[in-house]
Amino acid sequence: SQELEQSPQSLIVQEGKNLTINCTSSKTLYGLYWYKQKYGEGLIFLMMLQKGGEEKSHEKITAKLDEKKQQSSLHITASQPSHAGIYLCGADSGRNEKLTFGTGTRLTIIP
Amino acid sequence: EAQVTQNPRYLITVTGKKLTVTCSQNMNHEYMSWYRQDPGLGLRQIYYSMNVEVTDKGDVPEGYKVSRKEKRNFPLILESPSPNQTSLYFCASSLSRTYFNEQFFGPGTRLTVL
């Protein structure tokens, strides 16, 4: 089965600084999804990547999928308190009807 | 308002007492799914349903049952809950399997089994 590893597991960043979260798959990704979760709440969809080398941005968040389609990164520029939460990557292996999620990265923004 | 609702939001119960967590969506979505979230283990899929009367096991189905008699509802049933089922549960739905980018998640149900 597909496994997703996220790094780091937790991250404490000063407000205004940039940061990057990584998601690595043990298999080729047919679809890579980034979600954000506020503590104890449901997940909110951020972005989906499907093509090797694809890059998408929304406000100050940029996600990339590498050419080999086995690694994705999420980059936040000039972090703000509203960026705090848990970021999860999800992957579609293309073979079955489910998403597999990484263990998440807990992001804390400090003043 | 398009949404996925779960009830109850919080539940404390005892070992062996059957319980049902309801999930309902108002978006006419075909695909619905249940996940549990545990510290250090992330989000793991319990069961999913491609459409009415079509359900299949996810990664951690043991100890759970589901049914999909209507398109909008997808209840999660714990016939005999045990403490290792203490977790945060999420229901999710999307138009179909190929539309995961529009997967809507419910607010979560925090279950404690004593």
Side-chain angles (χ1 to χ4, degrees), chain B residues 4-68:
Chain B
V4 177
T5 57
Q6 293 179 230
N7 282 292
R9 292 289 312 279
Y10 303 91
L11 180 60
I12 300 175
T13 189
V14 295
T15 298
K17 186 176 182 180
K18 181 179 179 180
L19 67 92
T20 299
V21 183
T22 64
C23 173
S24 183
Q25 50 92 5
N26 62 0
M27 297 165 280
N28 202 36
H29 284 171
E30 291 185 348
Y31 183 95
M32 298 186 74
S33 180
W34 275 103
Y35 298 89
R36 61 177 289 175
Q37 186 176 36
D38 303 287
L41 297 176
L43 208 64
R44 295 178 293 169
Q45 191 178 50
I46 303 170
Y47 268 95
Y48 64 94
S49 171
M50 299 290 286
N51 212 326
V52 175
E53 301 293 358
V54 181
T55 63
D56 209 344
K57 296 178 181 179
D59 295 316
V60 288
E62 295 77 20
Y64 304 94
K65 289 175 62 177
V66 293
S67 67
R68 187 88 181 275

Side-chain angles (χ1 to χ4, degrees), chain A:
Chain A
S1 62
Q2 183 158 37
E3 293 184 359
L4 292 177
E5 185 175 329
Q6 281 186 241
S7 62
Q9 291 187 350
S10 64
L11 193 55
I12 301 174
V13 175
Q14 191 173 28
E15 184 176 352
K17 298 293 185 183
N18 303 336
L19 64 104
T20 299
I21 298 169
N22 294 303
C23 176
T24 303
S25 171
S26 58
K27 298 181 180 180
T28 299
L29 297 163
Y30 285 82
L32 189 286
Y33 307 81
W34 283 101
Y35 290 85
K36 179 188 175 184
Q37 181 185 20
K38 291 186 177 180
Y39 301 119
E41 298 183 13
L43 278 68
I44 299 170
F45 169 76
L46 296 175
M47 277 174 276
M48 178 185 72
L49 304 166
Q50 288 185 304
K51 300 176 183 178
E54 186 175 9
E55 179 176 322
K56 289 187 177 179
S57 294
H58 177 67
E59 297 180 344
K60 294 186 178 181
I61 301 176
T62 300
K64 301 178 184 179
L65 182 61
D66 74 341
E67 290 289 344
K68 293 183 179 180
K69 296 176 64 177
Q70 284 193 274
Q71 186 170 30
S72 177
S73 62
L74 186 80
H75 184 77
I76 299 177
T77 304
S79 58
Q80 301 170 351
S82 60
H83 288 130
I86 299 173
Y87 289 82
L88 296 103
C89 61
D92 175 2
S93 68
R95 294 183 182 179
N96 48 31
E97 289 73 30
K98 64 179 183 178
L99 278 182
T100 299
F101 284 89
T103 53
T105 296
R106 183 179 293 268
L107 174 62
T108 302
I109 307 295
I110 57 174

